[in-house]
Amino acid sequence: MAADAAGPERYGCVHYRRKCKIRAPCCGEVFDCRHCHNEAKDSLEVSIHGRHVVPRHEIKLVICSLCNKEQDVQQDCSNCGACLGKYFCAKCNLFDDDVSSEFEFSQVDETRNCFQYSSSEVFLSCFLLFVLCSLVFQVSKNQFHCDGCGICRTGGIENFYHCDKCGCCYTYLLKDSHLCVDRAMHQNCPVCFEYLFESTKAVSVLHCGHTIHLQCLYEMRAHQQFSCPVCLRSSCDMSAMWQKLDQEVAASSMPAICQKKMVRSLPSSEFRIWILCNDCGMTSNVQFHILAHKCPGCSSYNTRQTRGDKAECSRV
């Protein structure tokens, strides 16, 4: 077929290369894919009462892009015989001709990036490796359907496992290292509030187990924010920063005026406050300093003052 020989890049949209469109079961309109529908129908330009997303599993009709035949969901057109998508999932109603293209690190499965790492250092190393490989090799997307997630993903089923507690597929690099959080991926990004499980953007798993868009994480760090927006635990290795703070605290003597303003009745040697460590959860009674307060349990400066009276150390 001449039209088919022209190549799949002629058809599809910015989200998928394929030879069919969908009829949305929610509104009856035709779109290139469910993402195109959601961008048009679930945007700020639409009345709040009219906003909706297409239920992907309820899609029943597709339209062949070659002959315009509307038909039931199937891989090959019932009229002209064209393959509507080299990858086809009858469970997700997903079609995709892009099965062996150059690897795009930001373009992931139907909903979300599978490449998640517990630290930015590991992520950056793997990212550079994949970029280098993509310059030389043609890497298959290796789509697969995960029954636990209920959606299709990319990267090869042999490279990922489904974490039942977190409710998502994670790379095997995280199997023995990530901290499980109930339905961690079924939450909104704590920065931009986009639903992470349905997001097409890259997602990162923090040390604490909470999840966040990778780009949002980078923007936080660009603004000198290095703690999880949900639990306030440090989101990366801060040991080098704590060492610098050790030096700055040692080199900075407490101004007497600050002590007088805070506690007039106590001499400076007895001026102590209660702090809570956001990293280890210990509450401690430490000497007040204008710069920062160090946790005696884990040596972290990621702490906050709770009260100003004297007490012994305890753990919460």
Side-chain angles (χ1 to χ4, degrees):
M1 181 179 296
D4 193 37
E9 59 274 3
R10 280 193 51 186
Y11 307 99
C13 59
V14 296
H15 306 106
Y16 299 108
R17 286 188 288 176
R18 58 191 191 182
K19 301 186 189 72
C20 68
K21 299 180 180 181
I22 65 168
R23 184 173 294 279
C26 44
C27 57
E29 298 184 34
V30 175
F31 292 89
D32 286 313
C33 74
R34 72 177 192 89
H35 293 299
C36 293
H37 170 280
N38 295 344
E39 289 174 359
K41 297 296 184 178
D42 194 35
S43 65
L44 295 177
E45 289 74 21
V46 179
S47 168
I48 190 170
H49 300 291
R51 295 177 194 171
H52 64 281
V53 296
V54 63
R56 80 187 80 182
H57 299 101
E58 297 179 14
I59 295 174
K60 303 297 182 184
L61 297 173
V62 295
I63 298 93
C64 176
S65 299
L66 276 65
C67 67
N68 293 321
K69 169 68 175 178
E70 187 166 350
Q71 57 203 282
D72 294 335
V73 174
Q74 53 193 311
Q75 187 168 17
D76 298 324
C77 177
S78 60
N79 183 50
C80 66
C83 179
L84 304 182
K86 294 179 181 178
Y87 174 81
F88 169 67
C89 177
K91 296 180 180 179
C92 294
N93 300 315
L94 174 64
F95 301 82
D96 195 356
D97 268 332
D98 189 12
V99 295
S100 59
S101 61
E102 282 192 1
F103 183 80
E104 299 177 19
F105 197 77
S106 61
Q107 179 62 41
V108 292
D109 67 295
E110 187 187 8
T111 58
R112 188 186 56 80
N113 194 344
C114 279
F115 291 87
Q116 303 169 58
Y117 301 92
S118 57
S119 68
S120 58
E121 294 83 2
V122 176
F123 183 92
L124 181 59
S125 300
C126 293
F127 174 78
L128 294 176
L129 176 62
F130 275 110
V131 169
L132 179 61
C133 291
S134 68
L135 296 177
V136 183
F137 304 103
Q138 296 289 326
V139 183
S140 174
K141 290 175 72 173
N142 289 327
Q143 298 97 325
F144 66 95
H145 180 86
C146 173
D147 288 325
C149 293
I151 58 175
C152 292
R153 302 199 176 280
T154 63
I157 192 171
E158 69 280 2
N159 298 318
F160 297 91
Y161 77 100
H162 183 82
C163 178
D164 292 326
K165 186 172 183 180
C166 295
C168 185
C169 285
Y170 285 157
T171 171
Y172 273 110
L173 294 174
L174 290 180
K175 188 168 186 179
D176 300 321
S177 60
H178 87 281
L179 180 64
C180 286
V181 173
D182 286 335
R183 296 179 63 81
M185 286 303 307
H186 296 263
Q187 310 291 337
N188 293 337
C189 173
V191 175
C192 69
F193 301 107
E194 181 182 359
Y195 187 51
L196 291 171
F197 193 77
E198 297 288 337
S199 177
T200 58
K201 303 172 185 176
V203 177
S204 180
V205 183
L206 304 180
H207 291 163
C208 55
H210 293 120
T211 50
I212 185 175
H213 280 135
L214 185 65
Q215 183 59 39
C216 292
L217 180 62
Y218 286 162
E219 290 181 6
M220 283 179 53
R221 293 179 180 176
H223 290 84
Q224 304 300 309
Q225 298 294 322
F226 300 99
S227 59
C228 171
V230 178
C231 66
L232 300 181
R233 184 177 174 182
S234 297
S235 61
C236 57
D237 183 7
M238 298 291 291
S239 55
M241 179 64 69
W242 302 156
Q243 291 176 6
K244 291 182 180 179
L245 275 173
D246 279 337
Q247 298 172 2
E248 292 183 12
V249 168
S252 305
S253 58
M254 269 292 299
I257 188 173
C258 293
Q259 300 174 13
K260 292 179 181 179
K261 284 185 177 180
M262 296 297 294
V263 180
R264 297 178 181 274
S265 60
L266 294 177
S268 60
S269 61
E270 296 181 2
F271 182 29
R272 306 180 69 84
I273 61 170
W274 272 92
I275 62 169
L276 170 65
C277 179
N278 295 322
D279 286 339
C280 72
M282 174 182 282
T283 56
S284 308
N285 184 247
V286 299
Q287 187 167 354
F288 175 81
H289 197 280
I290 193 67
L291 291 181
H293 303 110
K294 183 176 182 178
C295 173
C298 66
S299 300
S300 168
Y301 279 96
N302 183 15
T303 62
R304 61 182 185 268
Q305 182 178 345
T306 57
R307 59 187 187 273
D309 56 294
K310 293 200 273 186
E312 298 297 328
C313 291
S314 63
R315 185 177 296 275
V316 295

